[in-house]
Amino acid sequence: MTVVEGSRSRCCIVGIGQSEYTKWGGIKDRSQFQVTAQAILAALDDAGLRPEDVDGLTSYSNDSNEPHLMQVALGIPKLRVAAMVWGGAGGGTCGSVSLACSAIESGRADVVVAYRGLCQGQARRFGRHGPGRVNGNFVDPFGLMAPPQMLAMIVQRFMHLYPITADHLAEVALNARANANRNPRAVMHGRTLTREDYFAARWIAEPLRLYDCCLETDGAAAVVITSRQRARDAKSRPVEILSAVQGSGPGWGNGALSGHNMPDADYASTGYRTLAPDLFGAAGLAPKDIDVAQIYDHFSGMVLMALEDLGFCGKGESGAFVASGAIRWPDGDLPLNTSGGQLSEAYVHGMNLIVEGVRQMRGTSTSQVKDARTCLVTGGLGVAPSSAIILGRT
């Protein structure tokens, strides 16, 4: 049985905020909680709102910045909704926005902030092997101790089945770095990456090299969601949430992060074929209607699979798609991860991808896509549950 939640959203994102992004361990003068609170305050200021206006907080995947403490720290007088997407690590990124929309549309909240803060130099590093992982007994004995090893198996199978090569993985990484070089906020803003650099880098877990893997960074990001009616009074240009879905298909469990027990037909995939029809159907759009995309790039090979699963190209055609220049800014048919993504801007479990999607719809990105009116954003790939949204320009 397929489990999917979809919505024809009547909500808008009216504020975005972020901290500085640094390399792992770079933020030392404030706690992770403080950094996250500052990102939330920046998003509220962008929206022209105050903490007193907020009555909902959402996040995902065991966020340690607890909402009841955030309420006290920010001075929120009444918290009516505190919700989190379970599991899936970054799979819940867009799901936190979906939860916010559900709360607003049902009348349970008026203004909800979705947020994520990660200062991994101060706490346990995400992705590091340790006790307490669900289904760890099924994968640990085989050396699958961390996400690069777990996801590498799926990418390897994908490259075995279809005409996908290391050059195609390189294109995803090189595109992200080129975009980050135009983005002063990106951790890799001042560092170019050549094709020679890419292939000279060490293996992490074959077929993934160093630059196929997302950054490890400190930072926080937040977005403010409210109703379309209230969005009319926002300080900054509101961005419509045209569609918001979350869920998973049969047999996925926690996907590649646990027992690898996905159906064989879906093993070499992101799991997004289940979500895609609901995502586009709720928005009344098709893949050809998407002008720019922010696809969760924890590993380059998973991005290629997502392009296929979401219908931007046919099965096994993503290599040729990226080789054609289709994901490159400014002339590609689908400019991708225009802030540098998690490969080169920052790793905030994907919340920075939503922030960049809003900038694209406002026309303020450092790699702005001309006349862009729609932006697709995904949560984590190859995990379950996962999520996605489609944003629209107002």
Side-chain angles (χ1 to χ4, degrees), residues 330-351:
D331 299 320
D333 292 335
L334 186 73
L336 186 69
N337 295 359
T338 45
S339 66
Q342 298 186 121
L343 289 172
S344 283
E345 183 191 32
Y347 178 68
V348 197
H349 260 171
M351 186 57 74

Side-chain angles (χ1 to χ4, degrees), residues 73-357:
L74 297 177
I76 297 172
K78 184 177 182 180
L79 192 62
R80 300 167 66 200
V81 170
M84 180 180 289
V85 180
W86 289 0
T93 307
C94 297
S96 65
V97 175
S98 177
L99 290 178
C101 292
S102 296
I104 292 164
E105 291 168 354
S106 66
R108 298 304 303 162
D110 293 321
V111 176
V112 181
V113 180
Y115 64 87
R116 187 64 163 175
L118 291 176
C119 289
Q120 298 184 78
Q122 302 177 15
R124 182 179 181 274
R125 178 183 292 174
F126 272 90
R128 182 178 180 179
H129 181 261
R133 288 197 309 112
V134 175
N135 289 342
N137 289 339
F138 293 100
V139 292
D140 292 354
F142 303 99
L144 304 182
M145 303 294 187
Q149 298 160 331
M150 298 168 187
L151 275 298
M153 292 177 64
I154 294 178
V155 179
Q156 190 80 283
R157 176 73 171 273
F158 179 60
M159 296 176 73
H160 170 74
L161 292 174
Y162 305 105
I164 307 298
T165 69
D167 281 307
H168 301 141
L169 272 63
E171 181 60 22
V172 175
L174 292 169
N175 171 70
R177 185 62 61 89
N179 290 338
N181 291 159
R182 290 185 288 271
N183 175 11
R185 295 177 293 270
V187 170
M188 293 298 180
H189 171 245
R191 299 182 61 180
T192 59
L193 179 67
T194 67
R195 190 168 294 273
E196 292 73 24
D197 294 333
Y198 170 89
F199 281 103
R202 68 184 184 274
W203 292 108
I204 301 300
E206 195 173 354
L208 302 175
R209 292 176 167 87
L210 175 65
Y211 298 115
D212 292 310
C213 303
C214 63
L215 301 174
E216 294 186 8
T217 59
D218 289 358
V223 297
V224 181
I225 302 108
T226 191
S227 65
R228 289 181 184 174
Q229 182 176 4
R230 184 160 185 170
R232 297 169 187 161
D233 298 323
K235 172 183 169 184
S236 299
R237 183 174 191 163
V239 171
E240 284 192 87
I241 302 168
L242 301 179
S243 177
V245 301
Q246 59 175 317
S248 57
W252 269 77
N254 203 21
L257 300 186
S258 60
H260 284 253
N261 57 333
M262 305 85 84
D264 185 67
D266 279 340
Y267 185 79
S269 79
T270 62
Y272 269 73
R273 281 183 286 183
T274 298
L275 298 181
D278 297 270
L279 176 69
F280 289 108
L285 298 172
K288 64 180 177 59
D289 299 314
I290 301 301
D291 297 318
V292 57
Q294 316 298 329
I295 293 180
Y296 197 101
D297 52 343
H298 46 352
F299 304 105
S300 60
M302 302 304 295
V303 175
L304 296 173
M305 294 181 211
L307 291 169
E308 299 179 10
D309 293 342
L310 290 163
F312 293 114
C313 56
K315 197 63 184 172
E317 296 176 359
S318 58
F321 183 79
V322 300
S324 73
I327 64 172
R328 290 282 189 163
W329 181 89
D331 299 320
D333 292 335
L334 186 73
L336 186 69
N337 295 359
T338 45
S339 66
Q342 298 186 121
L343 289 172
S344 283
E345 183 191 32
Y347 178 68
V348 197
H349 260 171
M351 186 57 74
N352 54 315
L353 301 179
I354 300 176
V355 170
E356 174 64 10

Side-chain angles (χ1 to χ4, degrees), residues 54-95:
V54 176
D55 56 359
L57 296 171
T58 63
S59 192
Y60 48 99
S61 190
N62 303 320
D63 193 308
S64 61
N65 304 292
E66 293 93 340
H68 54 286
L69 299 180
M70 194 63 70
Q71 177 188 8
V72 174
L74 297 177
I76 297 172
K78 184 177 182 180
L79 192 62
R80 300 167 66 200
V81 170
M84 180 180 289
V85 180
W86 289 0
T93 307
C94 297

